[in-house]
Amino acid sequence: MERRSATAHGPAFLLVTHHFWPETGAPQRRWGALSAHLVRAGFGVTVLAPPPHYPSGKITHSSPEFRPGAVVYGPRGEKIIRVGFREHTLRLLSRAADQAIAALSSMWHGLRPAARSGGRPDVIIATVPGIPSVAAGWVLARCYRAALVIEMRDAWPDLIVPSGILAAPNGRTGLRRRVRAAIAATVHRVVTRLQARADLVVTTTDAFAEVLRARDVARVAVVRNGTAFEAVRSPAPARLDGRALRVLYAGTVGRSQGLDVVVRAAARVKERGYPIEVRVVGHGNDLETLGDLADRLRAPVSVSPPVPATRMRDLYAWADTAVVSLRDWEPFRWTVPSKLYEVMASGLPVTACLDGEAALITTETGAGSVVPPGDADALAALWCGWLADGVVPAPSPDAAAWVAANASDDVLGEKYETLLRHLVDGDAPPGAPASGDVTRASADEASADLLGDAVADALRTKSPTRGSRR
């Protein structure tokens, strides 16, 4: 790679994203923290993002500074260029149209003077979710002759098939089914090809990085999701003394989380004569469905909208354990929900309905207990065991220590900064065999990693799609 010049104020990068401040959510929080670090480190940060319209699909801030075409500076010093969008419903095609329009608008605004006012971008970063953002990033990188970084926060597009979002409705077959299958295959092929051509692909887990290497995507680095959450309590057993077990789920309430298992498990605990109280707090497509299921089963579960971030500590202080859940879909074995790190940092024991890398992190750090995803009987048995004993086991202090060493905002900001400086300086591509595996931490960091090499080896062995490393 040829050496790229930096701007007068330091290296510059252009972020193409579908989700950004002042929206709230995991992608927005991630790039808020990363932007703050990179601005402090002297980077010129420009963001191409549509107006805030998550999760409702309708614009949430009517001020002119959030309208398409507006150019403002965000709270961390980043320049934000608002691009076009389309109000959408919860239907897949409606959301896909919104993402496509935002990607096309990002190409247009990304080449206009406002995006170049700080100098030619050295690096273009395209982040998923928002799969069309990848194509927009590739076009901008070609036009600017800049390095391209593709960031895969989740295992898209692998999740398309198991999630069923392109499945024919009502079990229909024939032409519609073939068309949807062709769309899924085409998206997968295009995204994988762009990943292979990128200067760097960033994933948030070791497991998904291994999957991409097996597909001949050689330049892969891992920058985990992070958290700035601080401990609510010191790890200690929670004495129940005959009272109800207090269980919390706070986060996205969608199809991916499979939270019906929590409702069914709570109903079974109640049927066995044990007191339990479950609170589900969040937003998502399944919020109403989950409430209806709780009513039908007469489960001791309350379902309510999200609370302000300032009240999250109160929820954690109330709970005896916090649930982190994903469905039993193969790509979720390569996924670690950012919520897991938050719960580990809080000092609460995790009830993990997880598999793959997320389950291994929970087990190896002593963060809590793991049950198979979707297994309501196993989950009910776990909670009944605690109630019978009258105590909820404390998590290991190692859990919070692991988060501080591997998933804190400061650590992740430094990792991203190092990767971007490698690209700007024209060093050997991160992840290439000749330069060593930069997806690993430095020797000092690796020695502090509580998972260790044995866990990384287990992840690679467990991945069913693993192939030889390039």
Side-chain angles (χ1 to χ4, degrees):
M1 182 188 302
E2 65 179 357
R3 183 181 180 86
R4 294 178 169 86
S5 62
T7 67
H9 303 289
F13 76 85
L14 190 62
L15 173 67
V16 183
T17 179
H18 200 71
H19 302 287
F20 201 69
W21 172 88
E23 295 175 346
T24 58
Q28 297 89 332
R29 207 207 72 81
R30 173 180 175 84
W31 270 103
L34 290 173
S35 295
H37 177 93
L38 293 169
V39 168
R40 290 195 301 269
F43 282 77
V45 179
T46 301
V47 181
L48 296 169
H53 64 297
Y54 172 85
S56 67
K58 301 184 183 301
I59 192 166
T60 57
H61 292 67
S62 59
S63 171
E65 67 185 272
F66 294 112
R67 293 290 179 180
V71 181
V72 299
Y73 282 87
R76 307 160 193 90
E78 70 274 53
K79 180 195 293 184
I80 305 172
I81 301 173
R82 295 296 176 178
V83 305
F85 79 113
R86 175 186 182 274
E87 289 191 349
H88 65 81
T89 65
L90 298 178
R91 296 182 62 186
L92 170 66
L93 291 180
S94 181
R95 287 183 284 128
D98 170 43
Q99 293 178 3
I101 289 171
L104 289 169
S105 184
S106 294
M107 297 179 206
W108 168 254
H109 285 283
L111 295 172
R112 292 175 62 81
R116 304 193 304 268
S117 61
R120 177 177 64 85
D122 300 288
V123 181
I124 307 294
I125 302 175
T127 182
V128 176
I131 293 177
S133 297
V134 175
W138 180 79
V139 169
L140 290 171
R142 293 293 297 269
C143 291
Y144 281 118
R145 291 179 293 173
L148 173 62
V149 176
I150 295 176
E151 179 180 86
M152 308 299 298
R153 285 197 62 258
D154 293 307
W156 293 105
D158 296 82
L159 281 168
I160 290 176
V161 173
S163 68
I165 60 176
L166 285 180
N170 301 321
R172 295 179 186 175
T173 59
L175 179 60
R176 182 175 297 187
R177 179 178 180 180
R178 291 195 296 271
V179 168
R180 289 171 180 260
I183 292 172
T186 299
V187 170
H188 197 290
R189 182 167 58 251
V190 169
V191 172
T192 301
R193 186 168 298 176
L194 290 175
Q195 289 169 340
R197 294 181 179 182
D199 294 278
L200 179 67
V201 177
V202 173
T203 74
T204 58
T205 65
D206 291 313
F208 193 43
E210 289 295 325
V211 170
L212 293 179
R213 291 193 193 100
R215 297 173 183 168
D216 292 333
V217 179
R219 297 177 293 274
V220 185
V222 177
V223 181
R224 294 186 179 276
N225 287 316
T227 184
F229 206 85
E230 297 180 351
V232 173
R233 65 181 72 168
S234 299
R239 301 291 175 183
L240 299 178
D241 297 326
R243 66 169 173 81
L245 173 68
R246 298 192 290 253
V247 179
L248 172 68
Y249 174 86
T252 302
V253 184
R255 187 177 185 187
S256 296
Q257 285 70 40
L259 293 175
D260 61 293
V261 69
V262 173
V263 175
R264 297 181 191 281
R268 291 172 194 181
V269 171
K270 178 183 175 183
E271 289 171 359
R272 295 173 192 177
Y274 290 107
I276 185 170
E277 182 179 355
V278 179
R279 293 185 184 177
V280 176
V281 180
H283 60 75
N285 297 351
D286 282 7
L287 198 65
E288 184 176 348
T289 302
L290 207 65
D292 291 343
L293 178 63
D295 291 341
R296 188 167 70 252
L297 298 179
R298 297 184 178 180
V301 178
S302 65
V303 180
S304 58
V307 300
T310 53
R311 289 187 53 198
M312 281 303 302
R313 294 184 64 82
D314 293 338
L315 285 176
Y316 280 116
W318 168 84
D320 298 311
T321 183
V323 173
V324 183
S325 177
L326 288 174
R327 286 193 182 274
D328 186 20
W329 296 340
E330 181 180 343
F332 282 153
R333 299 174 190 170
W334 323 324
T335 300
V336 179
S338 55
K339 182 61 65 173
L340 176 62
Y341 302 136
E342 181 178 301
V343 177
M344 291 168 66
S346 75
L348 273 179
V350 180
T351 293
C353 305
L354 301 167
D355 197 0
E357 182 165 345
L360 283 167
I361 290 174
T362 304
T363 301
E364 295 298 322
T365 63
S369 302
V370 176
V371 298
D375 192 336
D377 287 331
L379 184 56
L382 172 69
W383 289 341
C384 286
W386 292 347
L387 284 159
D389 294 339
V391 64
V392 180
S396 168
D398 289 347
W402 188 92
V403 172
N406 296 275
S408 68
D409 287 342
D410 289 340
V411 168
L412 301 180
E414 290 173 3
K415 286 187 176 182
Y416 232 115
E417 178 188 349
T418 299
L419 292 169
L420 294 179
R421 292 195 186 279
H422 269 286
L423 291 176
V424 171
D425 293 340
D427 291 346
S435 62
D437 185 2
V438 299
T439 68
R440 302 292 177 195
S442 67
D444 290 341
E445 290 171 328
S447 65
D449 187 345
L450 299 177
L451 288 180
D453 292 336
V455 178
D457 290 341
L459 291 172
R460 289 192 287 270
T461 301
K462 196 176 178 78
S463 175
T465 59
R466 178 180 177 260
S468 59
R469 181 180 297 195
R470 284 185 69 179

